[in-house]
Amino acid sequence: MNNMLFKMTMGLGIWVLAAQQVHARSCAPREDVVKRLAETYGETRRGIGIARQGAVMEVYASDQTGSWTITVTLPDGITCLVASGQSYEAMAEALPPNA
């Protein structure tokens, strides 16, 4: 599941990077974003990956509330929220091989 989640979120991360010149209200310094995710939603980092142009994609989630958030941090240290939702579940199942 982690590999599948990584592949799915990489597509989202690349989409965000295409618009990286526009810093919306959903972007802030990484330390501020991580602190808010932890304090407000109880989310901790569950996955990480490298995206295009040196950006870092991260998945945060909470076991207590089931909330989750995907972020992309740009090389300048600004972190943008890409997606968020509910009903997060960690899974450890093997994916079928590609045909």
Side-chain angles (χ1 to χ4, degrees), residues 46-60:
R46 304 303 177 94
I48 188 170
I50 303 299
R52 293 177 45 195
Q53 301 176 347
V56 176
M57 181 279 309
E58 296 172 289
V59 177
Y60 291 83

Side-chain angles (χ1 to χ4, degrees), residues 28-77:
R30 184 179 182 280
E31 60 199 35
D32 296 344
V33 172
V34 172
K35 182 178 179 181
R36 181 173 177 133
L37 291 175
E39 291 178 356
T40 305
Y41 302 100
E43 294 180 4
T44 58
R45 188 169 63 182
R46 304 303 177 94
I48 188 170
I50 303 299
R52 293 177 45 195
Q53 301 176 347
V56 176
M57 181 279 309
E58 296 172 289
V59 177
Y60 291 83
S62 169
D63 288 330
Q64 282 77 27
T65 67
S67 68
W68 57 266
T69 304
I70 299 171
T71 66
V72 172
T73 302
L74 304 175
D76 64 2

